[in-house]
Coordinates of all heavy atoms in Angstrom, one line a residue:
M472 N 0.8 -1.2 0.0 CA 0.0 0.0 0.0 C 0.9 1.2 0.0 O 1.8 1.4 0.8 CB -0.9 0.0 1.2 CG -1.6 1.3 1.4 SD -2.5 1.5 3.0 CE -3.9 0.5 2.7
M473 N 0.6 2.1 -0.9 CA 1.3 3.4 -1.0 C 0.7 4.4 0.0 O -0.5 4.5 0.0 CB 1.3 3.9 -2.4 CG 2.0 3.0 -3.4 SD 3.7 2.9 -3.2 CE 4.2 4.6 -3.6
I474 N 1.5 5.1 0.8 CA 1.0 6.1 1.7 C 1.7 7.4 1.3 O 2.9 7.5 1.2 CB 1.4 5.7 3.1 CG1 0.7 4.4 3.5 CG2 0.9 6.9 4.1 CD1 1.1 3.9 4.9
N475 N 0.8 8.4 1.1 CA 1.3 9.8 0.8 C 2.1 10.3 2.1 O 1.5 10.4 3.1 CB 0.1 10.7 0.5 CG 0.5 12.1 0.1 OD1 1.6 12.5 0.4 ND2 -0.4 12.8 -0.5
S476 N 3.3 10.7 1.9 CA 4.1 11.1 3.0 C 3.6 12.4 3.7 O 3.9 12.7 4.8 CB 5.6 11.3 2.6 OG 5.7 12.3 1.6
N477 N 2.8 13.1 2.9 CA 2.2 14.4 3.5 C 1.1 14.1 4.5 O 0.6 15.0 5.2 CB 1.6 15.2 2.3 CG 2.6 15.7 1.4 OD1 3.8 16.0 1.8 ND2 2.3 15.9 0.1
L478 N 0.6 12.8 4.5 CA -0.4 12.4 5.5 C 0.1 11.9 6.8 O -0.7 11.6 7.7 CB -1.3 11.4 4.8 CG -2.0 11.7 3.5 CD1 -2.8 10.6 3.0 CD2 -2.9 13.0 3.7
L479 N 1.4 11.7 6.9 CA 2.0 11.1 8.1 C 2.2 12.1 9.2 O 2.7 13.3 9.0 CB 3.4 10.5 7.7 CG 3.4 9.5 6.6 CD1 4.8 9.1 6.3 CD2 2.6 8.3 7.0
I480 N 1.9 11.7 10.4 CA 2.2 12.5 11.6 C 2.6 11.6 12.7 O 2.0 10.5 12.9 CB 0.9 13.3 11.9 CG1 1.2 14.3 13.0 CG2 -0.3 12.4 12.2 CD1 0.1 15.4 13.2
A481 N 3.6 12.0 13.5 CA 4.1 11.2 14.6 C 3.1 11.1 15.7 O 2.3 12.1 16.0 CB 5.4 11.7 15.1
M482 N 3.1 10.0 16.5 CA 2.2 9.8 17.6 C 2.3 11.0 18.6 O 1.3 11.5 19.1 CB 2.5 8.5 18.3 CG 1.7 8.3 19.5 SD -0.1 8.0 19.2 CE 0.0 6.3 18.8
T483 N 3.6 11.3 18.9 CA 3.8 12.4 19.9 C 3.2 13.7 19.4 O 2.5 14.4 20.2 CB 5.3 12.6 20.1 OG1 5.9 11.4 20.5 CG2 5.6 13.7 21.1
E484 N 3.3 14.0 18.2 CA 2.8 15.3 17.6 C 1.2 15.2 17.6 O 0.5 16.2 17.9 CB 3.3 15.6 16.2 CG 2.9 16.9 15.7 CD 3.6 17.3 14.4 OE1 4.3 16.4 13.8 OE2 3.4 18.4 13.9
A485 N 0.7 14.0 17.3 CA -0.7 13.8 17.2 C -1.3 14.0 18.6 O -2.4 14.6 18.8 CB -1.1 12.4 16.7
N486 N -0.6 13.5 19.7 CA -1.1 13.7 21.0 C -1.0 15.1 21.5 O -1.9 15.6 22.2 CB -0.2 12.9 22.0 CG -0.6 11.4 22.0 OD1 -1.8 11.1 21.8 ND2 0.3 10.5 22.3
Q487 N 0.0 15.8 21.1 CA 0.2 17.2 21.5 C -0.6 18.2 20.7 O -0.9 19.3 21.2 CB 1.7 17.6 21.5 CG 2.5 16.8 22.5 CD 4.0 17.0 22.3 OE1 4.4 17.6 21.3 NE2 4.8 16.5 23.2
N488 N -1.0 17.8 19.5 CA -1.6 18.8 18.6 C -2.6 18.0 17.7 O -2.5 18.0 16.5 CB -0.5 19.5 17.7 CG -1.1 20.6 16.9 OD1 -2.3 21.0 17.1 ND2 -0.2 21.2 16.1
F489 N -3.7 17.5 18.4 CA -4.7 16.8 17.6 C -5.4 17.6 16.6 O -5.9 17.1 15.6 CB -5.7 16.1 18.5 CG -6.5 15.1 17.8 CD1 -6.0 13.8 17.4 CD2 -7.8 15.4 17.4 CE1 -6.7 12.9 16.7 CE2 -8.6 14.4 16.7 CZ -8.0 13.2 16.3
S490 N -5.5 18.9 16.8 CA -6.1 19.8 15.8 C -5.4 19.7 14.5 O -6.0 19.9 13.4 CB -6.2 21.2 16.3 OG -4.9 21.8 16.5
K491 N -4.1 19.4 14.5 CA -3.3 19.3 13.3 C -3.8 18.0 12.5 O -3.9 18.0 11.3 CB -1.8 19.2 13.6 CG -1.0 19.1 12.3 CD 0.5 19.1 12.6 CE 1.3 19.0 11.3 NZ 2.8 19.1 11.6
V492 N -4.0 17.0 13.3 CA -4.5 15.7 12.7 C -5.9 16.0 12.0 O -6.2 15.6 10.9 CB -4.6 14.6 13.7 CG1 -5.3 13.3 13.1 CG2 -3.3 14.3 14.3
A493 N -6.8 16.7 12.8 CA -8.1 17.0 12.3 C -8.1 17.8 11.0 O -8.8 17.6 10.1 CB -9.0 17.7 13.4
R494 N -7.2 18.8 11.0 CA -7.0 19.7 9.9 C -6.5 18.9 8.7 O -7.0 19.1 7.5 CB -6.0 20.8 10.2 CG -6.0 21.9 9.2 CD -5.2 23.2 9.7 NE -4.0 22.9 10.4 CZ -3.9 23.0 11.8 NH1 -4.9 23.4 12.5 NH2 -2.7 22.8 12.4
L495 N -5.6 18.0 8.9 CA -5.1 17.2 7.8 C -6.2 16.3 7.2 O -6.3 16.2 6.0 CB -3.9 16.3 8.4 CG -3.0 15.6 7.4 CD1 -2.3 16.6 6.5 CD2 -2.0 14.8 8.2
V496 N -7.0 15.7 8.1 CA -8.1 14.9 7.6 C -9.1 15.8 6.8 O -9.6 15.4 5.7 CB -8.8 14.2 8.7 CG1 -10.1 13.5 8.3 CG2 -7.9 13.2 9.4
D497 N -9.4 17.0 7.3 CA -10.3 17.9 6.6 C -9.8 18.3 5.2 O -10.5 18.3 4.3 CB -10.5 19.2 7.4 CG -11.4 19.0 8.6 OD1 -12.1 18.0 8.7 OD2 -11.3 19.9 9.6
E498 N -8.5 18.5 5.1 CA -7.9 18.9 3.9 C -7.6 17.8 2.9 O -7.8 17.9 1.7 CB -6.6 19.7 4.2 CG -6.8 21.0 4.9 CD -5.5 21.6 5.4 OE1 -4.4 21.0 5.2 OE2 -5.5 22.7 6.0
Q499 N -7.1 16.6 3.4 CA -6.7 15.5 2.6 C -7.6 14.3 2.6 O -7.4 13.4 1.8 CB -5.3 15.1 3.0 CG -4.2 16.2 3.0 CD -3.9 16.7 1.6 OE1 -3.9 15.9 0.7 NE2 -3.7 18.0 1.4
G500 N -8.5 14.3 3.5 CA -9.4 13.1 3.6 C -9.0 12.0 4.6 O -9.8 11.2 5.0
S501 N -7.7 12.1 5.0 CA -7.2 11.1 5.9 C -5.9 11.5 6.5 O -5.3 12.5 6.0 CB -7.1 9.7 5.2 OG -6.1 9.8 4.2
A502 N -5.5 10.8 7.5 CA -4.1 11.0 8.1 C -3.7 9.7 8.6 O -4.5 8.8 9.0 CB -4.2 12.0 9.3
V503 N -2.4 9.5 8.7 CA -1.8 8.3 9.2 C -0.9 8.6 10.3 O 0.0 9.5 10.2 CB -0.9 7.6 8.1 CG1 -0.2 6.3 8.6 CG2 -1.8 7.2 6.9
I504 N -1.2 8.0 11.5 CA -0.4 8.3 12.7 C 0.7 7.2 12.8 O 0.4 6.0 12.8 CB -1.3 8.4 13.9 CG1 -2.3 9.5 13.8 CG2 -0.4 8.6 15.2 CD1 -3.3 9.6 14.9
L505 N 1.9 7.7 13.0 CA 3.0 6.7 13.2 C 3.3 6.4 14.6 O 3.3 7.3 15.5 CB 4.3 7.4 12.6 CG 4.3 7.8 11.1 CD1 5.5 8.5 10.8 CD2 4.1 6.6 10.2
K506 N 3.6 5.2 14.9 CA 4.0 4.7 16.2 C 5.3 4.0 16.0 O 5.4 3.1 15.2 CB 2.9 3.8 16.9 CG 3.3 3.5 18.3 CD 2.1 2.7 18.9 CE 2.5 2.4 20.4 NZ 1.4 1.7 21.0
N507 N 6.3 4.5 16.7 CA 7.7 3.9 16.5 C 8.1 4.0 15.0 O 8.7 3.0 14.5 CB 7.8 2.5 17.1 CG 7.5 2.4 18.5 OD1 7.9 3.3 19.3 ND2 6.8 1.4 19.0
N508 N 7.8 5.1 14.4 CA 8.1 5.3 13.0 C 7.5 4.4 12.0 O 8.0 4.2 10.9 CB 9.7 5.4 12.8 CG 10.3 6.6 13.5 OD1 9.7 7.6 13.5 ND2 11.4 6.4 14.1
K509 N 6.4 3.7 12.4 CA 5.7 2.8 11.5 C 4.2 3.2 11.5 O 3.7 3.6 12.5 CB 5.8 1.4 12.0 CG 7.2 0.8 12.0 CD 7.3 -0.6 12.5 CE 8.7 -1.1 12.6 NZ 8.8 -2.3 13.2
P510 N 3.6 3.2 10.3 CA 2.2 3.5 10.2 C 1.4 2.6 11.1 O 1.5 1.3 11.1 CB 1.8 3.2 8.8 CG 3.1 3.3 8.0 CD 4.2 2.8 9.0
R511 N 0.6 3.2 12.0 CA -0.1 2.4 13.0 C -1.6 2.7 13.0 O -2.4 1.7 13.1 CB 0.4 2.7 14.4 CG -0.2 2.0 15.5 CD -0.1 0.5 15.5 NE -0.9 0.0 16.6 CZ -0.6 -1.2 17.1 NH1 0.4 -1.9 16.7 NH2 -1.3 -1.6 18.1
Y512 N -2.0 3.9 12.8 CA -3.4 4.3 12.8 C -3.8 5.1 11.6 O -3.0 6.0 11.2 CB -3.7 5.1 14.1 CG -3.3 4.4 15.4 CD1 -2.2 4.7 16.0 CD2 -4.1 3.4 15.9 CE1 -1.8 4.1 17.2 CE2 -3.8 2.7 17.0 CZ -2.6 3.0 17.7 OH -2.2 2.4 18.8
A513 N -5.0 4.9 11.1 CA -5.5 5.7 10.0 C -6.7 6.5 10.5 O -7.6 5.9 11.2 CB -5.9 4.8 8.8
V514 N -6.7 7.7 10.3 CA -7.8 8.6 10.7 C -8.5 9.0 9.4 O -7.9 9.6 8.5 CB -7.4 9.8 11.5 CG1 -8.6 10.6 12.0 CG2 -6.5 9.4 12.7
I515 N -9.8 8.8 9.3 CA -10.6 9.1 8.1 C -11.7 10.0 8.5 O -12.2 10.0 9.7 CB -11.1 7.9 7.3 CG1 -12.0 7.0 8.2 CG2 -9.9 7.1 6.8 CD1 -12.7 5.9 7.4
D516 N -12.2 10.8 7.6 CA -13.4 11.6 7.8 C -14.6 10.6 8.0 O -14.7 9.6 7.4 CB -13.7 12.4 6.5 CG -14.8 13.4 6.7 OD1 -16.0 13.0 6.8 OD2 -14.5 14.6 6.8
F517 N -15.4 11.0 9.0 CA -16.5 10.1 9.4 C -17.5 9.8 8.2 O -18.0 8.7 8.2 CB -17.3 10.7 10.6 CG -18.2 9.7 11.2 CD1 -17.7 8.7 12.0 CD2 -19.6 9.8 11.0 CE1 -18.6 7.8 12.6 CE2 -20.5 8.9 11.6 CZ -20.0 7.9 12.4
S518 N -17.6 10.7 7.3 CA -18.5 10.4 6.2 C -18.0 9.3 5.3 O -18.7 8.7 4.5 CB -18.6 11.7 5.3 OG -17.4 12.1 4.7
E519 N -16.7 8.9 5.4 CA -16.1 7.8 4.7 C -16.2 6.5 5.5 O -15.9 5.4 4.9 CB -14.6 8.1 4.4 CG -14.4 9.4 3.6 CD -14.9 9.2 2.2 OE1 -14.8 8.1 1.6 OE2 -15.4 10.3 1.7
Y520 N -16.6 6.5 6.7 CA -16.6 5.4 7.6 C -17.5 4.3 7.1 O -17.1 3.1 7.1 CB -16.9 5.8 9.0 CG -16.7 4.7 10.0 CD1 -15.4 4.1 10.3 CD2 -17.8 4.1 10.7 CE1 -15.3 3.1 11.2 CE2 -17.6 3.1 11.6 CZ -16.4 2.6 11.8 OH -16.2 1.6 12.7
D521 N -18.7 4.6 6.7 CA -19.7 3.6 6.2 C -19.1 2.9 5.0 O -19.3 1.7 4.9 CB -21.0 4.2 5.9 CG -21.8 4.5 7.2 OD1 -21.5 3.9 8.3 OD2 -22.7 5.3 7.1
Q522 N -18.5 3.6 4.1 CA -17.9 3.1 2.9 C -16.8 2.1 3.3 O -16.7 1.0 2.7 CB -17.4 4.2 2.0 CG -17.1 3.8 0.6 CD -16.7 5.1 -0.2 OE1 -16.6 6.2 0.3 NE2 -16.6 4.8 -1.5
F523 N -16.0 2.5 4.2 CA -14.9 1.6 4.7 C -15.4 0.3 5.3 O -14.9 -0.8 4.9 CB -14.0 2.4 5.8 CG -13.1 1.5 6.5 CD1 -12.0 1.0 6.0 CD2 -13.5 1.1 7.8 CE1 -11.1 0.1 6.7 CE2 -12.6 0.2 8.5 CZ -11.5 -0.2 8.0
L524 N -16.5 0.4 6.1 CA -17.0 -0.8 6.7 C -17.6 -1.7 5.6 O -17.5 -2.9 5.7 CB -18.1 -0.4 7.7 CG -17.6 0.2 9.0 CD1 -18.8 0.5 9.9 CD2 -16.6 -0.8 9.7
A525 N -18.3 -1.1 4.6 CA -18.9 -1.9 3.6 C -17.8 -2.6 2.8 O -17.9 -3.8 2.4 CB -19.7 -1.0 2.6
Y526 N -16.7 -1.9 2.5 CA -15.6 -2.5 1.8 C -15.0 -3.7 2.6 O -14.8 -4.8 2.1 CB -14.5 -1.5 1.5 CG -13.2 -2.1 1.0 CD1 -13.1 -2.6 -0.3 CD2 -12.1 -2.3 1.8 CE1 -12.0 -3.2 -0.8 CE2 -11.0 -2.9 1.3 CZ -10.9 -3.3 0.0 OH -9.8 -3.9 -0.4
R527 N -14.8 -3.5 3.9 CA -14.2 -4.5 4.7 C -15.1 -5.7 4.8 O -14.7 -6.9 4.7 CB -14.0 -3.9 6.2 CG -13.2 -4.9 7.0 CD -13.0 -4.3 8.4 NE -14.1 -4.5 9.2 CZ -14.2 -4.3 10.5 NH1 -13.3 -3.6 11.1 NH2 -15.3 -4.5 11.1
T528 N -16.5 -5.5 4.9 CA -17.4 -6.6 4.9 C -17.4 -7.4 3.6 O -17.3 -8.6 3.6 CB -18.8 -6.1 5.1 OG1 -18.8 -5.4 6.4 CG2 -19.9 -7.2 5.1
R529 N -17.3 -6.7 2.5 CA -17.2 -7.4 1.2 C -15.9 -8.2 1.1 O -15.9 -9.3 0.6 CB -17.3 -6.4 0.0 CG -18.6 -5.8 -0.3 CD -18.7 -5.1 -1.6 NE -17.6 -4.1 -1.8 CZ -17.7 -2.8 -1.4 NH1 -18.7 -2.4 -0.7 NH2 -16.7 -2.0 -1.6
L530 N -14.8 -7.7 1.6 CA -13.5 -8.4 1.6 C -13.6 -9.6 2.4 O -13.1 -10.7 2.0 CB -12.4 -7.4 2.1 CG -11.0 -8.0 2.0 CD1 -10.6 -8.3 0.6 CD2 -10.0 -6.9 2.6
I531 N -14.2 -9.5 3.6 CA -14.3 -10.7 4.5 C -15.2 -11.7 3.8 O -14.9 -12.9 3.9 CB -14.8 -10.3 5.9 CG1 -13.8 -9.5 6.6 CG2 -15.3 -11.5 6.7 CD1 -14.3 -8.8 7.9
D532 N -16.3 -11.3 3.3 CA -17.2 -12.3 2.6 C -16.6 -13.0 1.4 O -16.7 -14.2 1.3 CB -18.5 -11.5 2.1 CG -19.4 -11.1 3.2 OD1 -19.2 -11.6 4.4 OD2 -20.3 -10.3 2.9
R533 N -15.8 -12.2 0.6 CA -15.1 -12.8 -0.5 C -14.1 -13.8 0.0 O -13.9 -14.9 -0.6 CB -14.5 -11.7 -1.4 CG -13.9 -12.3 -2.7 CD -13.4 -11.2 -3.6 NE -12.3 -10.4 -2.9 CZ -12.2 -9.1 -3.0 NH1 -13.1 -8.4 -3.7 NH2 -11.2 -8.5 -2.4
T534 N -13.3 -13.5 1.0 CA -12.3 -14.4 1.6 C -13.0 -15.7 2.1 O -12.5 -16.8 1.9 CB -11.5 -13.7 2.7 OG1 -10.9 -12.5 2.1 CG2 -10.4 -14.6 3.2
A535 N -14.1 -15.5 2.8 CA -14.8 -16.7 3.4 C -15.3 -17.6 2.2 O -15.1 -18.8 2.3 CB -15.9 -16.2 4.2
D536 N -15.8 -17.0 1.2 CA -16.3 -17.7 0.0 C -15.2 -18.5 -0.6 O -15.3 -19.7 -1.0 CB -17.0 -16.8 -1.0 CG -18.3 -16.3 -0.5 OD1 -18.9 -16.8 0.4 OD2 -18.8 -15.3 -1.2
Q537 N -14.0 -17.9 -0.7 CA -12.8 -18.6 -1.3 C -12.4 -19.7 -0.5 O -12.0 -20.8 -1.0 CB -11.7 -17.6 -1.6 CG -12.0 -16.6 -2.7 CD -10.9 -15.5 -2.7 OE1 -10.1 -15.3 -1.8 NE2 -10.9 -14.7 -3.8
L538 N -12.4 -19.5 0.8 CA -11.9 -20.6 1.7 C -12.9 -21.8 1.7 O -12.5 -23.0 1.6 CB -11.9 -20.1 3.2 CG -10.6 -19.2 3.5 CD1 -10.8 -18.6 4.9 CD2 -9.4 -20.1 3.4
I539 N -14.2 -21.5 1.7 CA -15.2 -22.6 1.6 C -15.1 -23.3 0.2 O -15.1 -24.5 0.2 CB -16.6 -22.0 1.8 CG1 -16.8 -21.6 3.3 CG2 -17.7 -23.1 1.4 CD1 -18.0 -20.8 3.5
E540 N -15.0 -22.5 -0.8 CA -14.9 -23.1 -2.2 C -13.6 -24.0 -2.3 O -13.7 -25.1 -2.8 CB -14.8 -22.0 -3.2 CG -14.9 -22.6 -4.6 CD -14.9 -21.4 -5.7 OE1 -15.7 -20.5 -5.5 OE2 -14.0 -21.4 -6.6
G541 N -12.5 -23.5 -1.8 CA -11.2 -24.3 -1.9 C -11.2 -25.5 -1.0 O -10.3 -26.3 -1.2
N542 N -12.0 -25.5 0.0 CA -12.0 -26.6 1.0 C -13.3 -27.3 1.2 O -13.6 -27.8 2.2 CB -11.5 -26.1 2.3 CG -10.1 -25.5 2.3 OD1 -9.1 -26.3 2.1 ND2 -10.0 -24.2 2.3
F543 N -14.1 -27.2 0.1 CA -15.5 -27.7 0.2 C -15.6 -29.2 0.7 O -16.4 -29.5 1.5 CB -16.3 -27.5 -1.1 CG -17.7 -27.8 -1.0 CD1 -18.5 -26.9 -0.4 CD2 -18.3 -28.9 -1.6 CE1 -19.9 -27.1 -0.3 CE2 -19.6 -29.2 -1.5 CZ -20.4 -28.3 -0.9
E544 N -14.8 -30.0 0.1 CA -14.8 -31.5 0.5 C -14.5 -31.6 2.0 O -15.1 -32.4 2.6 CB -13.9 -32.3 -0.4 CG -14.3 -32.4 -1.8 CD -13.3 -33.1 -2.7 OE1 -12.5 -33.8 -2.1 OE2 -13.5 -33.1 -3.9
A545 N -13.5 -30.9 2.5 CA -13.2 -31.0 3.9 C -14.3 -30.5 4.8 O -14.6 -31.2 5.8 CB -11.9 -30.2 4.2
F546 N -15.0 -29.5 4.4 CA -16.2 -29.0 5.1 C -17.3 -30.0 5.1 O -18.0 -30.2 6.1 CB -16.6 -27.6 4.6 CG -15.8 -26.5 5.1 CD1 -15.0 -25.8 4.1 CD2 -15.7 -26.1 6.4 CE1 -14.2 -24.7 4.5 CE2 -14.9 -25.1 6.8 CZ -14.2 -24.4 5.9
Q547 N -17.5 -30.7 4.0 CA -18.5 -31.7 3.9 C -18.2 -32.9 4.8 O -19.1 -33.4 5.5 CB -18.7 -32.2 2.4 CG -19.4 -31.3 1.5 CD -19.6 -31.8 0.2 OE1 -18.7 -32.4 -0.4 NE2 -20.8 -31.7 -0.4
E548 N -16.9 -33.2 4.8 CA -16.5 -34.3 5.7 C -16.7 -34.0 7.2 O -17.2 -34.8 8.0 CB -15.1 -34.7 5.4 CG -14.6 -35.9 6.1 CD -15.3 -37.2 5.6 OE1 -15.7 -37.3 4.5 OE2 -15.4 -38.1 6.5
L549 N -16.4 -32.7 7.5 CA -16.5 -32.3 8.9 C -18.0 -32.2 9.3 O -18.4 -32.4 10.5 CB -15.9 -30.9 9.1 CG -14.4 -30.9 9.1 CD1 -13.8 -29.5 9.1 CD2 -13.8 -31.6 10.3
A550 N -18.9 -32.0 8.3 CA -20.3 -31.8 8.6 C -21.0 -33.2 9.0 O -22.1 -33.2 9.5 CB -21.0 -31.2 7.4
K551 N -20.3 -34.3 8.6 CA -20.9 -35.6 8.9 C -21.0 -35.9 10.4 O -20.3 -35.5 11.2 CB -20.1 -36.7 8.2 CG -20.2 -36.6 6.7 CD -19.4 -37.7 6.0 CE -19.5 -37.6 4.5 NZ -18.7 -38.6 3.9

């Protein structure tokens, strides 16, 4: 996943100046908070949250379908 470096903010700075995080989200649509110099948290505009949840649900459903399809015989055997 590519992350725009303009969206990165250190945890310490986010704690001390959360309004900067909020401003970044308002201007760019999201912010990424770093913990120990690694991306740890994504902050998104709340209006995007439902879309994020729907995407995550579709991804989980697709993964479950693939697991069931790829292991159908094993599931049938377990169902006995």
